[in-house]
Amino acid sequence: MKRFQTLSRTTLIWLLLVVVSACSQADTAPRTLLILYTNDIHDHVRPRADGRGGLPWIAGHVAAVRASRNDVILLDAGDATEKGDLVAFLTGSRITLEGMGRIGYDAIAVGNHEHNFGLDAVKDFHTAAGARMLALNLVDEDGSPLLPVSRMIDRNGVRVGVIGMALPRPRDTLDFEASGLALADEAQRLREVEGAEVVIVVCHVGVADAERWSAMAPAVDVFVTGHTHKTLHSAKVFESTGALAVQAGSNARWVGHLELTIDDGGTIVSHRSHLVEMKHDRVEPDEALLAWIIEHESQLAPDADEVITVLDAPLEWFAIARLKAEALRVYGDADIGLYHPTHVVRNLLLPGPVTVNALFRTAADRGHPLIDTSLTGAEITAYLNGLAVRDYARWGLTQWAGFEVEIDGAAGVHVIETSLDPDQSYRVVMPEREWEKRFLRLTEQLDADEREGVLAERDFSAHPAGFSSVDALAAYLRDLEEPVASNLATLRQRQGDADPWEAPLAQRILARQLADAARD
């Protein structure tokens, strides 16, 4: 009996040691943190025609992940606004930020497109998003931060500090170097004062700029980046600091996953990352958010789903610009239409039914109105030649309607001749964006010799055309009596010799976009 008692006592002591050891190991066991991230949503609140993307599908995916884990943080790197759907434009992009607030983002950076609306609008976006926008380097008139600069989040036993960084610009922000120095100070403060174990930056800059900031602010562990629309399927590790950088494409098409494993000392011991595409046959939408968006659209843009035409092949940037140039000329009863393919066009048109909303998405240039001006044949020819010298290799030539063009690309020198009468004045309609960012800037940037040319002989002026390119193109496509492809071929034949840069540039852009669209 005594031996039994002795054995029992020994066994109890052994069991107690096992329990204590297990509890000790549990206390020091690595913890996980799952960062879900998006960037450059750009008002793509509705689904794409190809069954990919849309804010409700992001919401549905996030909700499903949150239901299965307690370690999730949801972040966005900015540019939620502009370039997207008609309903978003008609709400001044507020519907997008309010939708993100409904999803429950933990932190959102301020993108340059939010900044474009002005500081008061940024404050309103912050409110709409549930007071979750952060910006360390975006400053008010008195130089103080416009919004909260950072916040602390406790998730799964991990103390996380999140800092927001806007794109440095000539107005309302600290410059790049000052932004980096401020970031270094704030990251260190979060660690030393707030007890942050992990410091994350949501920043509306590309990976290369984030790496420069990382060298200045080594206390930062993760940079959730944007602005450059890169589809990074795995995190980049910065050699100088070991910090991680991620980015998830654009247009509400991807949600990034970055899972961190953190030891009891607050050190990230491992990571893994991937992107999840918002494919509608694999991801369930948030039905309440989808219904909310559709209700707003039915009130503000009842014609958004009207089918204008049906395509049997995608239309790329140059084809869209060529159609729009002709549509502006016809609808505006003008002599000439101009439309820059890559500076103004934003999205290609996919095969299948083409709606009013799809036309709007190609450029969203109801936000960039059209202008009506008078230019001589010599001035138009000089404009095309100016673009040829400066823009050709990167962007291609603007598309035109109402005259023919001949291009001599011999020996790498592009000389453009047109069928226009040099001395005759022509009524021209073009996007305001092209007028300001291409035509007027070209007249300002001419070198000394060219300042003696026709574009330096007078001050140019223009007035609003009174309609949008969506109005014009919708009307033009409705009235077509032949397939779009045949019409495009006819337009190109009327224009004269093909632009030798157009085909390879268009093919490269289209191939990249279609490959991206087909990626699993």
Side-chain angles (χ1 to χ4, degrees):
M1 184 69 178
K2 186 175 181 180
R3 186 170 179 269
F4 176 77
Q5 290 175 338
T6 302
L7 288 174
S8 296
R9 188 180 300 112
T10 301
T11 302
L12 286 172
I13 292 171
W14 177 78
L15 288 173
L16 180 61
L17 290 173
V18 170
V19 170
V20 170
S21 176
C23 290
S24 176
Q25 289 177 9
D27 288 341
T28 60
R31 297 155 293 165
T32 59
L33 185 68
L34 178 58
I35 303 167
L36 302 182
Y37 56 92
T38 57
N39 57 273
D40 298 278
I41 288 174
H42 281 306
D43 276 345
H44 281 61
V45 296
R46 299 178 82 257
R48 281 164 44 117
D50 61 351
R52 291 172 167 86
L55 208 57
W57 279 263
I58 290 178
H61 177 70
V62 170
V65 175
R66 281 174 170 162
S68 64
R69 305 182 57 147
N70 66 349
D71 60 348
V72 177
I73 289 180
L74 178 61
L75 307 174
D76 182 84
D79 263 10
T81 62
E82 295 194 316
K83 300 185 183 180
D85 292 306
L86 180 54
V87 64
F89 170 75
L90 294 175
T91 65
S93 292
R94 200 178 195 278
I95 191 174
T96 307
L97 274 302
E98 189 173 342
M100 294 172 74
R102 287 170 176 248
I103 295 172
Y105 275 79
D106 292 293
I108 302 169
V110 177
N112 53 291
H113 282 270
E114 285 82 71
H115 190 189
N116 286 345
F117 283 89
L119 298 185
D120 288 341
V122 170
K123 294 177 183 177
D124 184 58
F125 289 149
H126 173 62
T127 300
R132 286 293 184 256
M133 298 189 86
L134 304 176
L136 173 64
N137 59 341
L138 185 65
V139 296
D140 214 334
E141 294 178 357
D142 61 1
S144 61
L146 183 76
L147 301 175
V149 303
S150 64
R151 65 176 299 222
M152 291 296 301
I153 302 171
D154 288 299
R155 204 64 42 94
N156 193 29
V158 182
R159 292 275 290 167
V160 183
V162 183
I163 305 169
M165 299 291 285
L167 178 72
R169 305 178 85 181
R171 59 183 176 85
D172 307 326
T173 67
L174 304 179
D175 64 26
F176 191 89
E177 295 298 319
S179 294
L181 293 173
L183 175 60
D185 290 342
E186 181 61 13
Q188 200 63 37
R189 187 192 72 81
L190 290 179
R191 286 196 181 276
E192 295 177 355
V193 178
E194 302 292 342
E197 299 172 272
V198 176
V199 176
I200 304 171
V201 175
V202 284
C203 53
H204 194 68
V205 299
V207 172
D209 282 339
E211 188 165 15
R212 292 171 59 195
W213 274 344
S214 180
M216 301 175 71
V220 175
D221 297 297
V222 177
F223 289 84
V224 179
T225 68
H227 191 52
T228 51
H229 297 197
K230 296 297 183 183
T231 308
L232 298 180
H233 288 271
S234 59
K236 178 180 174 60
V237 181
F238 295 149
E239 292 184 6
S240 62
T241 62
L244 304 172
V246 293
Q247 193 171 146
S250 63
N251 297 351
R253 187 175 161 191
W254 306 90
V255 174
H257 287 228
L258 174 63
E259 184 164 0
L260 308 178
T261 303
I262 303 150
D263 66 16
D264 61 335
T267 300
I268 297 173
V269 295
S270 67
H271 74 275
R272 58 180 181 176
S273 60
H274 66 282
L275 299 181
V276 177
E277 189 170 15
M278 298 297 99
K279 289 186 175 181
H280 298 177
D281 59 350
R282 299 182 185 180
V283 178
E284 293 294 326
D286 181 314
E287 295 290 354
L289 185 62
L290 180 59
W292 178 73
I293 291 170
I294 290 174
E295 175 62 23
H296 277 73
E297 185 177 75
S298 66
Q299 295 174 3
L300 299 172
D303 62 339
D305 278 332
E306 178 191 349
V307 176
I308 302 300
T309 189
V310 178
L311 298 178
D312 57 8
L315 292 187
E316 42 75 21
W317 283 251
F318 287 85
I320 292 169
R322 192 173 308 134
L323 283 171
K324 286 199 173 190
E326 178 69 0
L328 300 191
R329 184 188 71 82
V330 173
Y331 191 87
D333 195 24
D335 300 307
I336 291 169
L338 297 175
Y339 208 96
H340 203 286
T342 55
H343 189 65
V344 183
V345 178
R346 298 297 189 185
N347 295 297
L348 73 169
L349 283 171
L350 298 169
V354 176
T355 64
V356 169
N357 189 68
L359 294 182
F360 183 84
R361 270 189 177 182
T362 61
D365 59 359
R366 286 187 182 178
H368 302 285
L370 303 170
I371 61 93
D372 191 321
T373 189
S374 179
L375 301 174
T376 68
E379 290 166 346
I380 296 168
T381 303
Y383 172 53
L384 296 182
N385 276 287
L387 288 178
V389 171
R390 289 164 180 78
D391 244 4
Y392 241 27
R394 292 192 307 123
W395 301 109
L397 196 62
T398 190
Q399 296 300 284
W400 59 91
F403 60 96
E404 294 185 357
V405 166
E406 292 184 2
I407 302 175
D408 181 1
V413 177
H414 299 277
V415 178
I416 296 174
E417 296 182 0
T418 71
S419 61
L420 298 169
D421 182 338
D423 299 321
Q424 182 177 335
S425 290
Y426 297 89
R427 183 164 161 250
V428 180
V429 177
M430 72 170 80
E432 182 182 62
R433 182 178 176 85
E434 179 175 352
W435 172 254
E436 293 181 349
K437 303 293 186 180
R438 285 293 183 267
F439 187 90
L440 293 183
R441 282 192 180 181
L442 184 63
T443 66
E444 296 167 357
Q445 295 172 2
L446 296 174
D447 60 33
D449 292 337
E450 290 171 314
R451 284 190 182 280
E452 299 175 0
V454 295
L455 293 183
E457 291 179 357
R458 68 182 179 97
D459 293 330
F460 294 94
S461 62
H463 60 271
F467 61 95
S468 76
S469 73
V470 179
D471 299 327
L473 186 55
Y476 183 76
L477 292 176
R478 285 191 193 100
D479 292 342
L480 278 186
E481 297 180 356
E482 57 186 359
V484 173
S486 300
N487 181 258
L488 281 168
T490 302
L491 289 178
R492 176 39 101 200
Q493 187 176 19
R494 289 176 184 172
Q495 286 181 330
D497 292 348
D499 177 350
W501 280 85
E502 174 197 325
L505 179 59
Q507 289 167 3
R508 288 200 304 273
I509 296 173
L510 183 59
R512 185 178 71 243
Q513 292 290 324
L514 292 179
D516 192 40
R519 189 191 302 273
D520 290 328

